[in-house]
Protein backbone atom coordinates (compact mmCIF):
# COMPACT_ATOMS: atom_id res chain seq x y z
CA UNK A 1 0.00 0.00 0.00
CA UNK A 2 1.16 3.47 -0.72
CA UNK A 3 1.34 6.25 1.86
CA UNK A 4 -1.95 7.88 0.78
CA UNK A 5 -3.86 4.62 1.05
CA UNK A 6 -2.42 3.98 4.52
CA UNK A 7 -3.39 7.50 5.55
CA UNK A 8 -6.96 7.04 4.28
CA UNK A 9 -7.24 3.71 6.09
CA UNK A 10 -6.00 5.35 9.28
CA UNK A 11 -8.48 8.22 8.88
CA UNK A 12 -11.36 5.76 8.48
CA UNK A 13 -10.22 3.82 11.54
CA UNK A 14 -9.94 6.97 13.65
CA UNK A 15 -13.32 8.18 12.48
CA UNK A 16 -14.94 4.88 13.35
CA UNK A 17 -13.65 5.29 16.91
CA UNK A 18 -14.31 9.02 17.32
CA UNK A 19 -17.21 10.75 19.04
CA UNK A 20 -20.23 11.52 16.89
CA UNK A 21 -19.72 15.27 16.73
CA UNK A 22 -16.18 14.82 15.41
CA UNK A 23 -17.30 12.22 12.89
CA UNK A 24 -20.08 14.49 11.60
CA UNK A 25 -17.70 17.38 11.14
CA UNK A 26 -14.84 15.38 9.63
CA UNK A 27 -16.89 13.30 7.20
CA UNK A 28 -18.82 16.33 6.01
CA UNK A 29 -15.58 18.20 5.46
CA UNK A 30 -13.83 15.31 3.70
CA UNK A 31 -16.83 14.70 1.44
CA UNK A 32 -17.17 18.40 0.62
CA UNK A 33 -13.48 18.64 -0.25
CA UNK A 34 -13.77 15.52 -2.43
CA UNK A 35 -10.74 14.21 -0.57
CA UNK A 36 -9.31 10.89 -1.64
CA UNK A 37 -10.32 8.24 -4.09
CA UNK A 38 -13.78 7.11 -5.07
CA UNK A 39 -13.35 4.12 -2.75
CA UNK A 40 -12.45 6.43 0.13
CA UNK A 41 -15.49 8.60 -0.58
CA UNK A 42 -17.70 5.48 -0.67
CA UNK A 43 -16.22 4.34 2.66
CA UNK A 44 -17.03 7.73 4.20
CA UNK A 45 -20.60 7.44 2.91
CA UNK A 46 -20.86 3.93 4.36
CA UNK A 47 -19.64 5.25 7.71
CA UNK A 48 -22.31 7.98 7.66
CA UNK A 49 -25.01 5.46 6.85
CA UNK A 50 -23.80 3.17 9.61
CA UNK A 51 -23.84 6.01 12.12
CA UNK A 52 -27.28 7.13 10.90
CA UNK A 53 -28.79 3.88 12.11
CA UNK A 54 -28.31 5.09 15.69
CA UNK A 55 -28.24 8.89 15.24
CA UNK A 56 -30.45 10.53 12.63
CA UNK A 57 -28.20 13.61 12.40
CA UNK A 58 -25.87 11.53 10.21
CA UNK A 59 -28.51 11.15 7.52
CA UNK A 60 -28.22 14.83 6.55
CA UNK A 61 -24.62 14.78 5.25
CA UNK A 62 -25.30 11.37 3.73
CA UNK A 63 -28.19 12.80 1.69
CA UNK A 64 -26.21 15.94 0.86
CA UNK A 65 -23.39 13.92 -0.70
CA UNK A 66 -25.16 10.80 -2.00
CA UNK A 67 -25.65 10.03 -5.66
CA UNK A 68 -28.98 8.65 -6.85
CA UNK A 69 -27.88 5.02 -6.48
CA UNK A 70 -26.77 5.57 -2.89
CA UNK A 71 -30.08 7.27 -2.15
CA UNK A 72 -31.98 4.34 -3.65
CA UNK A 73 -30.03 1.87 -1.53
CA UNK A 74 -30.87 3.88 1.60
CA UNK A 75 -34.64 4.04 0.98
CA UNK A 76 -35.47 1.31 3.55
CA UNK A 77 -33.59 3.27 6.21
CA UNK A 78 -35.28 6.50 5.07
CA UNK A 79 -38.70 4.85 5.35
CA UNK A 80 -37.93 3.74 8.91
CA UNK A 81 -36.88 7.29 9.81
CA UNK A 82 -40.14 8.69 8.47
CA UNK A 83 -42.01 6.59 11.01
CA UNK A 84 -39.97 7.68 14.04
CA UNK A 85 -38.10 10.92 13.39
CA UNK A 86 -39.36 14.18 14.93
CA UNK A 87 -36.80 16.69 13.61
CA UNK A 88 -38.56 18.49 10.76
CA UNK A 89 -35.28 19.45 9.08
CA UNK A 90 -34.31 15.79 8.82
CA UNK A 91 -37.81 14.74 7.77
CA UNK A 92 -37.82 17.31 4.94
CA UNK A 93 -34.45 16.06 3.71
CA UNK A 94 -35.59 12.45 3.77
CA UNK A 95 -38.90 13.15 2.02
CA UNK A 96 -37.07 15.13 -0.68
CA UNK A 97 -34.48 12.35 -1.10
CA UNK A 98 -37.18 9.70 -1.50
CA UNK A 99 -38.88 11.93 -4.06
CA UNK A 100 -35.61 12.09 -6.00
CA UNK A 101 -35.45 8.30 -6.08
CA UNK A 102 -39.08 8.05 -7.25
CA UNK A 103 -39.48 5.08 -4.88
CA UNK A 104 -43.10 4.02 -5.14
CA UNK A 105 -43.01 1.85 -2.00
CA UNK A 106 -42.93 5.00 0.15
CA UNK A 107 -46.02 6.71 -1.28
CA UNK A 108 -48.24 5.99 1.72
CA UNK A 109 -45.77 6.99 4.41
CA UNK A 110 -44.91 10.19 2.51
CA UNK A 111 -48.59 10.88 1.87
CA UNK A 112 -49.24 10.87 5.61
CA UNK A 113 -47.20 14.07 5.91
CA UNK A 114 -49.89 15.95 3.98
CA UNK A 115 -52.05 15.59 7.07
CA UNK A 116 -49.49 16.81 9.60
CA UNK A 117 -49.93 20.35 10.85
CA UNK A 118 -46.63 21.44 9.39
CA UNK A 119 -46.81 23.37 6.09
CA UNK A 120 -43.19 22.66 5.06
CA UNK A 121 -43.58 18.91 5.55
CA UNK A 122 -46.87 19.00 3.67
CA UNK A 123 -45.25 20.82 0.74
CA UNK A 124 -42.29 18.40 0.67
CA UNK A 125 -44.71 15.46 0.71
CA UNK A 126 -46.71 16.86 -2.20
CA UNK A 127 -43.53 17.59 -4.17
CA UNK A 128 -42.21 14.08 -3.50
CA UNK A 129 -45.47 12.44 -4.54
CA UNK A 130 -45.43 14.57 -7.68
CA UNK A 131 -41.94 13.33 -8.53
CA UNK A 132 -42.78 9.72 -7.69
CA UNK A 133 -45.93 9.77 -9.77
CA UNK A 134 -47.89 6.71 -10.79
CA UNK A 135 -51.32 5.47 -9.78
CA UNK A 136 -50.55 5.17 -6.04
CA UNK A 137 -49.32 8.77 -5.79
CA UNK A 138 -52.32 10.01 -7.77
CA UNK A 139 -54.66 8.04 -5.50
CA UNK A 140 -53.00 9.46 -2.38
CA UNK A 141 -53.17 13.04 -3.67
CA UNK A 142 -56.76 12.56 -4.86
CA UNK A 143 -57.76 11.38 -1.39
CA UNK A 144 -56.05 14.39 0.22
CA UNK A 145 -57.73 16.73 -2.29
CA UNK A 146 -61.12 15.71 -0.86
CA UNK A 147 -60.15 16.72 2.69
CA UNK A 148 -59.59 19.96 4.57
CA UNK A 149 -55.87 19.63 3.70
CA UNK A 150 -56.52 20.36 0.03
CA UNK A 151 -55.02 23.54 -1.37
CA UNK A 152 -54.04 25.00 -4.74
CA UNK A 153 -50.57 23.46 -4.64
CA UNK A 154 -51.88 19.97 -3.93
CA UNK A 155 -54.56 20.34 -6.62
CA UNK A 156 -52.05 21.61 -9.21
CA UNK A 157 -49.74 18.67 -8.49
CA UNK A 158 -52.63 16.22 -8.76
CA UNK A 159 -53.84 17.82 -12.00
CA UNK A 160 -50.36 17.57 -13.54
CA UNK A 161 -50.02 13.90 -12.56
CA UNK A 162 -53.47 13.06 -13.85
CA UNK A 163 -52.76 14.76 -17.16
CA UNK A 164 -49.49 12.85 -17.47
CA UNK A 165 -47.34 15.97 -17.70
CA UNK A 166 -43.94 16.23 -16.11
CA UNK A 167 -44.17 18.29 -12.95
CA UNK A 168 -40.43 18.69 -12.42
CA UNK A 169 -40.28 22.29 -13.64
CA UNK A 170 -43.76 23.59 -12.95
CA UNK A 171 -44.31 22.42 -9.38
CA UNK A 172 -40.90 23.36 -7.98
CA UNK A 173 -41.37 26.99 -8.99
CA UNK A 174 -44.52 27.39 -6.91
Amino acid sequence: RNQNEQTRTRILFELSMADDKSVLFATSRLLSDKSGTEDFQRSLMDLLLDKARTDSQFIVPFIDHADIEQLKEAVPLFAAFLLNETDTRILKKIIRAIGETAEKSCVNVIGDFIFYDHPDLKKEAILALGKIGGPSAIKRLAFASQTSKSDDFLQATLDKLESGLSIEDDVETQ
Side-chain angles (χ1 to χ4, degrees), residues 6-50:
Q6 287 178 335
T7 302
R8 287 190 290 272
T9 301
R10 181 62 188 214
I11 290 170
L12 288 169
F13 172 76
E14 293 296 336
L15 284 172
S16 70
M17 304 301 283
D19 65 279
D20 286 351
K21 188 174 182 181
S22 298
V23 174
L24 254 177
F25 174 78
T27 54
S28 295
R29 180 69 187 261
L30 289 167
L31 288 165
S32 294
D33 291 347
K34 302 286 186 223
S35 302
T37 64
E38 195 174 309
D39 283 344
F40 182 64
Q41 295 283 313
R42 193 172 7 265
S43 295
L44 290 171
M45 294 297 284
D46 289 345
L47 177 62
L48 285 174
L49 206 51
D50 243 13

Side-chain angles (χ1 to χ4, degrees), residues 63-111:
I63 290 171
D64 288 345
H65 297 285
D67 61 32
I68 192 68
E69 291 307 314
Q70 290 168 318
L71 290 176
K72 285 180 179 181
E73 290 173 16
V75 164
L77 182 62
F78 293 162
F81 274 122
L82 290 180
L83 298 174
N84 301 308
E85 184 58 49
T86 58
D87 185 323
T88 55
R89 179 181 66 98
I90 293 172
L91 288 168
K92 284 172 40 178
K93 280 255 188 211
I94 291 170
I95 293 168
R96 187 175 300 141
I98 293 172
E100 293 300 319
T101 70
E103 179 55 54
K104 295 186 184 329
S105 68
C106 294
V107 164
N108 285 334
V109 70
I110 288 174

Side-chain angles (χ1 to χ4, degrees), residues 82-83 95 106-118 121-122 125-126 129 140 143-144 149:
L82 290 180
L83 298 174
I95 293 168
C106 294
V107 164
N108 285 334
V109 70
I110 288 174
D112 288 345
F113 285 92
I114 293 171
F115 299 97
Y116 284 34
D117 287 326
H118 195 289
L121 291 176
K122 176 183 175 184
I126 294 168
L129 291 174
R140 195 72 168 137
F143 174 78
K149 296 298 181 174

